[in-house]
Amino acid sequence: MRKQEPKVRAKNFKEVALGYTEEEALEEASRCLTCPKPQCVTGCPVGVPIPEFIKCIKEKKYAEGIATIKTKNALPAVCGRVCPQESQCQSKCVVGKMGDPISIGRLERFLADWERDNGFQLPPKPEPTGKKVAVIGAGPAGLTVAADLVKRGHEVTQFEALHVGGGVLSYGIPEFRLPKAIVQNEVNYVQKLGVELRLGNLIGRTHTIPELMKEGGYDAVFIGSGAGLPQFTGCPGENLGGVYSANEFLIRVNLMKAFAFPDYDTPIRIGKHVVVIGGGNVAMDCARCSMRLGAEVCLVYRRSRDELPARHEEIENAEEEGLVCKFLAAPLEFIGNERGWVKAMKCICMELTEPDARGRRGVKTIPGSEFTMDVDTVIIAIGQTPNPIIGRTTEGLVSDPKRGTICVDEVGKSSLDGVYAGGDVATGAATVISAMGAGKRAAQAMHEYLTNKK
Amino acid sequence: MVTKKTLSYKETLFEVEAPDIAAKAQAGQFIIVVPHEKGERIPLTICGYDTQKGTVSFAFHEVGKTTKELGCYNEGDCLLNVTGPLGNPSEIKKYGKVLCVGGSIMIAPIILQIKAMKEAGNHVTTVLGARIKEAMILEKEARELSDEVYVATDDGSYGYKGLDFLKELLEKEKFDRCVVMGPVVMMRDVSEITKPYGIPTIITLTPVMIDGMGMCGVCRVTVGGKMLFGCVDGPEFDGHLTDFEELIQRQRQMLPEERLSSLVWETSGGCKCGRNKA
Ligand SMILES: Cc1cc2nc3c(=O)[nH]c(=O)nc-3n(C[C@H](O)[C@H](O)[C@H](O)COP(=O)(O)OP(=O)(O)OC[C@H]3O[C@@H](n4cnc5c(N)ncnc54)[C@H](O)[C@@H]3O)c2cc1C
Ligand SMILES: Cc1cc2nc3c(=O)[nH]c(=O)nc-3n(C[C@H](O)[C@H](O)[C@H](O)COP(=O)(O)OP(=O)(O)OC[C@H]3O[C@@H](n4cnc5c(N)ncnc54)[C@H](O)[C@@H]3O)c2cc1C
Ligand code: SF4
Ligand code: FES
């Protein structure tokens, strides 16, 4: 697929990958064998009918193709861009056994973009069931549940704490990987299906779950509030100026559009030498945003390159754009200048230990290997846990005391009758498509629950 | 936006329609206002609510671009978004003798505290502080609600000069609780004054915030040696345990950028109503 040149894109916030032309899409689609027992589908957490939609592309029936995808996936433009296809559907594709697998994600994106340019069609309105559902959070999990339940005739109200919908898609994943106009478009689609979206509504404060069920008259509730609580290192000096959590940094840059400051009102101060601590997708996004804001960026990760949890495509993209990595190192202390702004970071070198019984390698510090690096901005991207507000205000809701996640069974049922949960809030930080998969299963279970409920 | 009331030259009180928030609001909580598409999320303390009308009020001091811009909004205008109520409500109960200290714009929300403390059966002594005489607001309201009122200004142009007189007051009277809302420096000074007397002192922290619901961590403060989040663990904390120096430093983090934003806005004509021409 065509991409913006690294030198050019490292200076702008426009989308990196440019998408297929019609010709490219037709050529790629023609490679698909339309397997009778398609393996690719088994790799897809929401079971998109992959060969069917690719067949539509072959026949240039694009409207039908996108409709096929949307029977299972309400957010194709998003998934076509950020799903880790290489480890899901594409890893199972039979063509991949002999050469490159079919680029399923790019074809999905092609159809979604085609639809955006050509206007979308709404499915017919279902018969109302008279049942009311509250969905908490407008991230991928919540949007999926809302769309699935409204299509089955339930009345759905979605409560979102922020002033825009989309969840991490809006506040976390940067513009250059996932344009916000596309996210908004998907959010709008769910609303056009008939879902009422209430922004600026923090459940636990504006309303609590028991209130929704008792006074609000909601028959069931889905919690899709994600994992938004940032983790810190606990090292001294962490509250100095210039030390950001990944969330603060990403919210400022992406949601509040600090990259366009002062046209937009929220600022971000970024120095010349940025250090990002961590190694997942979140760390990569922070690093790439920092580069676009004009900084030199060094990633500090406590394991080695092989253990980096970020998507390969994104690591490559980041390195092409100029990312430098320092592996096997961890921070010990942040040192400030006289004005309370970070000026240096003390680190220690690490080594990998022998694999344990489960084959996982740990890390330990190497005594005496401390070193100091000059930095003026630090971004801490070492993971997030669910926000405790809902747990604190919902009596009887059982959550994992260590990870803060809400305990649910395989269809998303929580310890409370009629209350379901899914996505990052139940699994801990994961992926868009796994959150959607959880949403799908929960929607099905909730539909059954509502249908049986008198 | 239902009513706009000018409190002083740079201070305004707004009453906005937000029935969901009005239904839940309690003294000590705050809201986050996003004026428009390109705007910032700014936290403001709730200083009144009316469940019947479905409205909440907040008062603000014009300091930077967003608050100056808000000052140009009028009755009938719409805000893009108001989120709330956020933060934990104040602990209101019968303590006995309560000292309420309000400074500058935060006098507006302290009125709500006074009211709640009175309703809980406390004897309330109020201290109002302002920079200069002209900036003293809501004195009449405070006098109507409190048992006793003292006023002070930084320059002594009205009432006592500075807050040193508090020491004498504390020598004379015994208080069971002290609630302070105002500029950080004032909250620090009051906390220092009450500490030797062992009066539990509750301050309302105003760290920089973005989301106001525990997502970004920018509002982190050190209280009693622990890292807490101003928005979800607070906004009220024990004034005797708070690391004020760190708070002040963190609040100033983006000052150059905020000045720039304000300047760009003003030189490009401000809000066009002429109120904030450079
Ligand atoms: C920077 C970053 C990059 C990522 N990159 C990728 C990627 O490339 N590919 C991939 O597959 N995954 C990626 N992920 C992970 C993926 O985004 C998440 O797994 C997914 O968004 C989880 O969806 P969710 O619906 O569970 O939660 P979220 O997307 O977190 O949405 C939860 C929503 O609920 C709202 N909310 C929270 N509490 C409340 C409340 N009390 N009341 C009302 N609303 C509330 C939040 O504001 C939010 O909008 C990335 C994550 C981050 C942070
Ligand atoms: C919980 C809470 C309650 C608050 N209640 C009130 C209130 O009732 N009335 C009122 O007038 N103000 C209140 N504030 C402060 C108010 O939010 C800031 O004055 C406002 O955000 C400034 O925005 P601005 O864009 O106009 O100024 P900016 O250009 O952003 O900044 C100008 C100055 O304000 C300081 N500042 C910026 N953002 C904040 C912030 N989030 N908190 C504290 N200081 C900040 C900066 O350090 C700078 O000195 C409260 C803050 C918090 C955190
Ligand atoms: S497994 Fe590969 S070739 Fe077979 S249907 Fe799926 S995408 Fe096409
Ligand atoms: S304001 Fe973001 S965590 Fe408190």
Side-chain angles (χ1 to χ4, degrees), chain B:
Chain B
M1 194 143 337
V2 192
T3 29
K4 174 177 182 175
K5 208 155 98 191
T6 305
L7 299 176
S8 82
Y9 170 57
K10 286 259 174 230
E11 289 162 340
T12 310
L13 185 132
F14 273 135
E15 185 184 5
V16 300
E17 218 176 86
D20 283 349
I21 304 176
K24 272 311 258 303
Q26 290 182 57
Q29 292 187 296
F30 64 97
I31 53 171
I32 288 216
V33 174
V34 193
H36 54 80
E37 211 54 42
K38 296 186 174 180
E40 266 188 290
R41 295 173 64 92
I42 65 158
L44 296 165
T45 312
I46 294 172
C47 61
Y49 51 88
D50 185 329
T51 27
Q52 299 245 293
K53 282 201 298 183
T55 59
V56 283
S57 327
F58 55 85
F60 60 90
H61 189 113
E62 291 180 19
V63 283
K65 167 167 181 208
T66 310
T67 44
K68 285 180 190 163
E69 205 174 29
L70 267 183
C72 298
Y73 277 64
N74 282 308
E75 287 164 17
D77 288 348
C78 280
L79 299 167
L80 176 71
N81 190 267
V82 182
T83 303
L86 301 168
N88 300 301
S90 316
E91 256 177 66
I92 305 283
K93 52 181 191 202
K94 184 157 184 199
Y95 296 101
K97 292 189 87 175
V98 178
L99 180 65
C100 291
V101 187
S104 144
I105 187 66
M106 297 299 273
I107 292 176
I110 204 130
I111 300 275
L112 194 57
Q113 293 268 336
I114 299 172
K115 224 194 231 154
M117 284 294 188
K118 252 340 261 184
E119 277 164 16
N122 293 290
H123 179 277
V124 179
T125 304
T126 300
V127 175
L128 302 181
R131 224 165 19 84
I132 49 171
K133 181 166 190 256
E134 288 69 29
M136 181 63 70
I137 57 169
L138 301 170
E139 189 185 333
K140 191 168 131 282
E141 286 79 353
R143 288 199 185 275
E144 278 164 17
L145 290 164
S146 330
D147 296 290
E148 272 168 87
V149 175
Y150 298 86
V151 293
T153 45
D154 288 352
D155 64 351
S157 56
Y158 185 46
Y160 290 93
K161 184 170 192 298
L163 288 171
D164 284 340
F165 78 96
L166 268 181
K167 289 184 191 140
E168 289 158 41
L169 185 64
L170 297 183
E171 287 296 339
K172 279 198 313 223
E173 277 186 68
K174 199 186 154 304
F175 290 95
D176 302 294
R177 194 173 177 88
C178 172
V179 182
V180 200
M181 288 178 149
V184 179
V185 180
M186 173 187 189
M187 297 196 288
R188 179 191 63 193
D189 294 348
V190 174
S191 301
E192 271 166 19
I193 295 174
T194 58
K195 201 167 180 178
Y197 298 92
I199 305 169
T201 302
I202 306 303
I203 55 168
T204 290
L205 286 196
T206 49
V208 173
M209 292 190 180
I210 304 178
D211 57 299
M213 50 208 178
M215 278 168 65
C216 68
V218 67
C219 63
R220 56 195 193 271
V221 287
T222 307
V223 180
K226 274 212 318 227
M227 183 202 286
L228 295 176
F229 283 7
C231 62
V232 287
D233 299 314
E236 298 190 346
F237 292 98
D238 184 335
H240 297 152
L241 298 178
T242 302
D243 183 341
F244 284 103
E245 296 320 309
E246 181 185 276
L247 178 69
I248 292 170
Q249 222 157 46
R250 286 189 65 78
Q251 268 195 348
R252 292 196 185 129
Q253 269 192 62
M254 301 275 171
L255 214 53
E257 285 77 8
E258 278 147 5
R259 291 218 177 102
L260 173 68
S261 156
S262 193
L263 204 67
V264 168
W265 181 70
E266 283 176 8
T267 47
S268 67
C271 68
K272 312 281 189 295
C273 72
R275 223 179 107 116
N276 272 300
K277 278 274 166 58

